[in-house]
Amino acid sequence: RHAVCIFYLVLRALDTIEDDMTISLDVKVPMLHEFHSYLYQPEWKYTESKEKDRQVLEDFPTISMEFRNLSKVYQDVISDICHKMGVGMAEFLEKKVDSQHEWDKYCHYVAGLVGIGLSRLFSASELEDTIVGQDTELANSMGLFLQKTNIIRDYLEDQMEGREFWPREVWSRYAKKLSDLAKPENIDMAVQCLNELITNALHHVPDVLTYLSRLKNQTVFNFCAIPQVMAIATLAACYNNKQVFRGVVKIRKGQAVTLMMDATNIQAVKAIMYQYVEEIYQKIPSTDPSSNKTQQIIASIRAMSLPSGPMASRHHYSPIYLSCAMLLAALSWQYLSTISKATEDYVQAGEN
């Protein structure tokens, strides 16, 4: 618990530096490269940030002190991931995501590394088998699925704030500029582009199911599974949906709560995945350029997620246990910026 908490706070501090547009590049780039070393400098802090989360930088000595109190095996994982992420963030500061390969690379730096780091912490704690931390490809897919969902859903918000994360290789087949997809006259092409990116994201689901099937600890399982089922529900809501280019697409509050309650074992998660890919399948337009690819990946997911046992009822778990599980899930989901506001409100209500 402590290791995951400090991991979260360290990466939140790193993120805050990356997001702060008031820091000049000649200052920001060296900071990102060297950030991992600040973990071992008791007095280091940064007091000039204008970001909303600047407290983690202003009070970084408290975070770094707790980091140094962790077991060395945890320190090594957190420091290593922090170093790799800082280098990756610096790489993408001055360039846009061009190819689909670069899209995967960017998502690896900002989210895949989180999945890899968490997996290594799970194994180091001995709550999970060694293979969980060693299989970096599966752990990376866990992060990529969440990050791509976030990027797909947040098209309009990112456009309004001057950020572009959709890969040029894809959107350039549908528009001259990424911003053109938001124009009403381009809505049909925009939706086709959206569907292609969702199809791309769905290719991570088999890895997600394989990863989750290896987990043995109940709290670790909930922590990992709940964000993933939120993501598939979000993609199902976004698929072939013009509203992505007009406003915010969110899953319903009750839907989010049900997912959090039910995603407590691998058979339940498979059933949820099956449900939402079926929902996508029913919406595939015959004229969509990606329709064949979408059908193919859904067929693969179906083969892995056909329900083979009863879903565990949430009534098997006490309210206190469920509250803890939901708080853990909210921590993971919030870091990757993909939980809906409604779900956050629900979790806050649960805390109170």
Side-chain angles (χ1 to χ4, degrees), residues 286-313:
S286 59
T287 57
D288 190 272
S290 304
S291 60
N292 287 339
K293 290 182 179 178
T294 310
Q295 290 167 355
Q296 288 170 11
I297 185 56
I298 287 178
S300 297
I301 297 169
R302 277 174 174 162
M304 289 189 71
S305 60
L306 278 170
S308 58
M311 289 175 61
S313 169

Side-chain angles (χ1 to χ4, degrees), residues 229-279:
V229 296
M230 294 284 193
I232 192 66
T234 299
L235 288 184
C238 290
Y239 185 81
N240 209 51
N241 188 349
K242 298 176 182 179
Q243 189 61 26
V244 172
F245 303 95
R246 297 170 177 165
V248 180
V249 175
K250 291 183 178 179
I251 58 177
R252 301 184 309 278
K253 180 178 179 179
Q255 184 181 4
V257 172
T258 299
L259 289 169
M260 295 177 81
M261 295 289 195
D262 286 345
T264 56
N265 63 77
I266 188 60
Q267 292 306 324
V269 170
K270 285 182 177 181
I272 292 167
M273 291 288 188
Y274 188 92
Q275 170 191 339
Y276 284 110
V277 296
E278 281 299 303
E279 186 177 311

Side-chain angles (χ1 to χ4, degrees), residues 34-93:
E34 297 300 321
F35 194 83
H36 67 289
S37 68
Y38 303 153
L39 293 167
Y40 298 96
Q41 299 176 28
E43 303 303 319
W44 187 90
K45 59 184 176 181
Y46 186 75
T47 58
E48 298 175 33
S49 176
K50 303 297 189 293
E51 287 291 297
K52 65 182 186 301
D53 293 326
R54 60 185 177 274
Q55 183 181 353
V56 291
L57 294 172
E58 294 171 352
D59 201 23
F60 198 76
T62 302
I63 298 172
S64 66
M65 178 184 67
E66 294 297 339
F67 165 83
R68 292 187 299 277
N69 286 337
L70 293 173
S71 299
K72 186 177 184 300
V73 66
Y74 294 142
Q75 290 185 38
D76 290 346
V77 171
I78 294 171
S79 176
D80 180 52
I81 296 298
C82 189
H83 186 198
K84 291 173 179 174
M85 187 177 290
V87 170
M89 286 175 168
E91 178 183 334
F92 277 91
L93 276 179

Side-chain angles (χ1 to χ4, degrees), residues 4 114-123 127-128 132 138-139 141-143 145-146 207-232 259-260 263-266 269 273 321 324-333 336 338:
V4 172
V114 181
I116 291 169
L118 285 170
S119 300
R120 289 169 62 185
L121 292 178
F122 299 153
S123 293
L127 291 173
E128 298 295 345
V132 172
L138 293 188
S141 284
M142 293 283 284
F145 186 57
L146 299 186
D207 278 356
V208 167
L209 292 174
T210 301
Y211 180 96
L212 293 174
S213 70
R214 290 177 174 171
L215 300 180
K216 297 178 178 179
N217 181 275
Q218 185 67 61
T219 56
V220 171
F221 185 90
N222 283 63
F223 182 79
C224 295
I226 292 173
Q228 302 295 329
V229 296
M230 294 284 193
I232 192 66
L259 289 169
M260 295 177 81
T264 56
N265 63 77
I266 188 60
V269 170
M273 291 288 188
Y321 175 83
C324 292
M326 287 188 284
L327 287 170
L328 277 171
L331 175 63
S332 175
W333 191 251
L336 294 168
T338 45

Side-chain angles (χ1 to χ4, degrees), residues 157-211:
E157 178 184 330
D158 287 338
Q159 279 293 302
M160 292 172 68
E161 297 189 15
R163 300 189 296 253
E164 293 191 354
F165 298 115
W166 284 25
R168 177 186 294 271
E169 181 184 343
V170 175
W171 65 253
S172 63
R173 293 197 288 270
Y174 301 93
K176 291 183 178 179
K177 294 185 297 182
L178 183 55
S179 58
D180 288 345
L181 295 177
K183 296 178 179 178
E185 63 269 24
N186 297 329
I187 192 62
D188 290 340
M189 296 296 280
V191 169
Q192 290 179 4
C193 181
L194 168 70
N195 291 347
E196 181 172 346
L197 290 181
I198 290 176
T199 300
N200 175 297
L202 288 174
H203 280 81
H204 297 294
V205 173
D207 278 356
V208 167
L209 292 174
T210 301
Y211 180 96

